[in-house]
Amino acid sequence: MIPLKYYLILSAAFFSIGIIGVLTRRNAIIIFMCIELMLNAVNLTLVSFSSFFGDSSGQIFVFFVMAVAAAEAAVGLAIIIALFRNKLTINVDEVNIFKW
Amino acid sequence: MTLEQITFIILALIGLTSALMLIIQKNPVYSVLLLILHFFALAGFYLLLNAQFIAVLQILVYAGAIMVLFVFVIMLLNLSNEEALKDPFNLRKIIASIFGVVLILQFGVFFFIKAKDDLNVTISPNSIEAGSIKKISEVLFSTYLIPFEVTSFILLVGIIAAIVLAKRKFE
């Protein structure tokens, strides 16, 4: 039997990798993928707590997180396409039209 | 070692390697493929945790639908030979890495010092029932009915926003 601790350590590791990716990479699509990585790390935590306590609620939260992630990916990729059409780049360092 | 432990170690290695390679990789197409591999590893973890419904949903929704969107956008934008995406190693990157290491240290302090003996529980015998589609649908359509309806509204807003944002401007 694998204790709950190992699942939590693993999902903490996935979350940290996602954070480092968001902070270091400048490609908007890669940043998006790292956000998905972090969402999935949290999903793993929710599912492991749900299974270890024998309660379905955590898995229903995962269902909601997936729905929100799908909507977020659709909107975010539409923003990236609009950005690329106007600025011909998806490097987030060069997209500073809101900065003054 | 039991079969469960061996499976856990293999899946953990696949998940960690693919996640690390994702943030190191220069070519976004390879990053997407590695992310799909990562999602399959996570689906394996969900099966180990007796969450069959979530495991199937992970492959169908994440590895199927969402990642197709990512691949489609990357192919559409054709970024493989863009000069502007060069990623120089500079001060910002060093500071970001320091923040990441501090975060990992915080997690380490929590797991190995603060909660050293608290989290050694083993999997509940109810988990097979809790992960079954029967139990999940019962709870989803009774206790969480209103959040479920709100989810459909969020998806509708997402569809409309994607169309409005990605559409070409009117003349």
Side-chain angles (χ1 to χ4, degrees), chain A residues 2 10 14, chain B residues 1-18 37 41 44-45 48:
Chain A
I2 302 155
L10 199 67
F14 290 159
Chain B
M1 270 208 291
T2 60
L3 187 64
E4 195 186 1
Q5 285 166 323
I6 295 170
T7 320
F8 182 87
I9 290 168
I10 291 172
L11 287 173
L13 283 178
I14 293 174
L16 283 174
T17 323
S18 56
L37 184 65
F45 283 123
L48 270 186

Side-chain angles (χ1 to χ4, degrees), chain A residues 25-89:
Chain A
R25 298 302 300 265
R26 294 295 94 187
N27 184 337
I29 292 180
I30 306 261
I31 290 178
F32 243 78
M33 285 195 254
C34 291
I35 291 172
E36 298 286 334
L37 207 68
M38 280 151 46
L39 284 171
N40 273 282
V42 175
N43 280 356
L44 183 59
T45 315
L46 286 171
V47 172
S48 43
F49 274 122
S50 147
S51 291
F52 277 85
F53 293 111
D55 187 351
S56 298
S57 298
Q59 298 185 19
I60 288 161
F61 290 150
V62 172
F63 177 82
F64 292 140
V65 170
M66 279 179 181
V68 172
E72 174 245 345
V75 175
L77 290 170
I79 290 174
I80 289 175
I81 288 178
L83 201 66
F84 188 74
R85 190 179 291 141
N86 290 321
K87 308 265 290 186
L88 290 178
T89 180

Side-chain angles (χ1 to χ4, degrees), chain A residues 1-10 12-30 32-34 36-37 39-41 43-44 47-57 59-71 73-75 77-82 84-86 88-91 93-94, chain B residues 4-5 8 12 15-16 19-20 22-26 28 31-32 35 38-39 42 45-46 48-49 51 54 57-58 62 66 69-70 73-74 76-77 79 82 84-85 87 92-93 96-97 99-100 103-104 107 111-112 115-116 119-124 126-127 130-131 135-136 139-140 144 147-148 151 154-155 158 161-162 165-168:
Chain A
M1 280 306 207
I2 302 155
L4 175 61
K5 195 176 173 180
Y6 292 140
Y7 285 103
L8 296 184
I9 291 172
L10 199 67
F14 290 159
F15 193 87
S16 311
I17 292 172
I19 291 252
I20 294 173
V22 168
L23 291 175
T24 52
R25 298 302 300 265
R26 294 295 94 187
N27 184 337
I29 292 180
I30 306 261
F32 243 78
M33 285 195 254
C34 291
E36 298 286 334
L37 207 68
L39 284 171
N40 273 282
N43 280 356
L44 183 59
V47 172
S48 43
F49 274 122
S50 147
S51 291
F52 277 85
F53 293 111
D55 187 351
S56 298
S57 298
Q59 298 185 19
I60 288 161
F61 290 150
V62 172
F63 177 82
F64 292 140
V65 170
M66 279 179 181
V68 172
V75 175
L77 290 170
I79 290 174
I80 289 175
I81 288 178
F84 188 74
R85 190 179 291 141
N86 290 321
L88 290 178
T89 180
I90 55 165
N91 187 337
D93 277 346
E94 293 173 26
Chain B
E4 195 186 1
Q5 285 166 323
F8 182 87
L16 283 174
L20 273 176
L22 190 162
I23 63 170
I24 294 170
Q25 196 62 247
K26 289 276 171 244
S31 291
V32 168
L35 190 56
H38 181 83
F39 287 162
L42 279 176
F45 283 123
Y46 297 157
L48 270 186
L49 287 163
I54 296 296
L57 217 62
Q58 173 83 10
Y62 262 115
I66 297 181
L69 210 61
F70 273 90
V73 169
I74 286 173
L76 187 73
L77 300 187
L79 300 160
E82 201 191 353
L85 281 179
D87 228 3
R92 194 208 66 235
K93 222 168 188 175
S97 305
F99 274 120
L103 183 77
I104 291 174
F107 278 132
F111 282 120
F112 296 108
K116 203 165 58 178
L119 296 170
N120 285 325
V121 286
T122 46
I123 196 156
S124 156
N126 294 333
S127 65
K135 187 76 202 308
I136 287 181
V139 181
L140 183 61
Y144 294 97
F148 178 74
T151 304
I154 288 174
L155 287 173
L165 284 168
K167 200 170 62 174
R168 223 169 261 286

Side-chain angles (χ1 to χ4, degrees), chain B residues 38-167:
Chain B
H38 181 83
F39 287 162
F40 273 93
L42 279 176
F45 283 123
Y46 297 157
L47 285 179
L48 270 186
L49 287 163
N50 293 328
Q52 307 92 348
F53 175 61
I54 296 296
V56 172
L57 217 62
Q58 173 83 10
I59 291 177
L60 283 182
V61 175
Y62 262 115
I66 297 181
M67 295 324 287
V68 164
L69 210 61
F70 273 90
V71 175
F72 181 76
V73 169
I74 286 173
M75 302 288 181
L76 187 73
L77 300 187
N78 190 21
L79 300 160
S80 52
N81 50 2
E82 201 191 353
E83 192 71 10
L85 281 179
K86 263 196 315 193
D87 228 3
F89 197 79
N90 52 17
L91 185 67
R92 194 208 66 235
K93 222 168 188 175
I94 295 168
I95 294 172
S97 305
I98 290 170
F99 274 120
V101 170
V102 168
L103 183 77
I104 291 174
L105 284 179
Q106 280 184 339
F107 278 132
V109 166
F110 174 72
F111 282 120
F112 296 108
I113 297 168
K114 293 264 186 209
K116 203 165 58 178
D117 305 318
D118 298 348
L119 296 170
N120 285 325
V121 286
T122 46
I123 196 156
S124 156
N126 294 333
S127 65
I128 295 174
E129 204 217 331
S132 70
I133 191 159
K134 180 169 177 286
K135 187 76 202 308
I136 287 181
S137 55
E138 269 174 22
V139 181
L140 183 61
F141 292 116
S142 57
T143 317
Y144 294 97
L145 184 62
I146 293 172
F148 178 74
E149 297 294 340
V150 173
T151 304
S152 67
F153 193 71
I154 288 174
L155 287 173
L156 177 70
V157 172
I159 294 167
I160 295 171
I163 293 171
V164 169
L165 284 168
K167 200 170 62 174

